[in-house]
Amino acid sequence: MGIFGRKKRGRHAMADPGDVWEDDITEEPEDEPGPDGAGGPFDITEAPEDGRPRIDLGSVRVPVPDGTQVQVEMDQQAGGVRAVHVVTAHGQVTVSAYAAPRSGGLWHEVVAELTEQLRGDGAKVAPGNGEWGPELSALIGDVALRFVGVDGPRWMLRGVIAGPQSMAAEAPAVLRDIVRGTIVDRGDAPMPVRTPLPITLPEAVQQHIAQQQGQ
């Protein structure tokens, strides 16, 4: 499962809801789902028993491919977990789930807002389409980012991968594979739309962080 570490938040690490990817900034054709997590992401009611390694974060169960690392980003002020990242050879993947209306369509709203925010920050932005609908590519300096989003039953899942331009060609496929294999547990509690679904860390990760903080 890799190494667990703590990562300090950067300017575009996990804005709400906003973040960015790509090298060529061109629209890409829709990809076919791969063998891992084909047909996903999944609601907890339809979770596959495929034996794929995932880290259980309570509201989401995120695939952890071989050779990757898991980094936990702590909220120093609130004292909780801000985000969990899967660090791959092609960039850092962050998957986040939010409460959404039963009618769906939240990702279309978010991607439009995200486009405006990124352009306001001076990023080169290009929209595209993928297997779940709208995607977004952007360049901020030497950092390439790619966003995808999926509307599920009362939840929206957003994935972003960030890394160097040199890895931008392969990065979207890495992001899609992780998003495709993710399982979302929305729960039954009523929540305002766009509320981030809570993250809970596995006990082993909590112990590792506590040991680091005690050093």
Side-chain angles (χ1 to χ4, degrees), residues 171-187:
V174 174
L175 171 63
R176 294 186 191 113
D177 180 60
I178 290 177
V179 169
R180 198 180 296 126
T182 296
I183 298 167
V184 181
D185 188 353
R186 160 66 172 76

Side-chain angles (χ1 to χ4, degrees), residues 132-155:
W132 303 293
E135 296 187 1
L136 200 62
S137 303
L139 283 175
I140 302 179
D142 294 329
V143 178
L145 302 108
R146 169 64 64 90
F147 293 90
V148 301
V150 186
D151 288 305
R154 298 176 65 220
W155 51 259

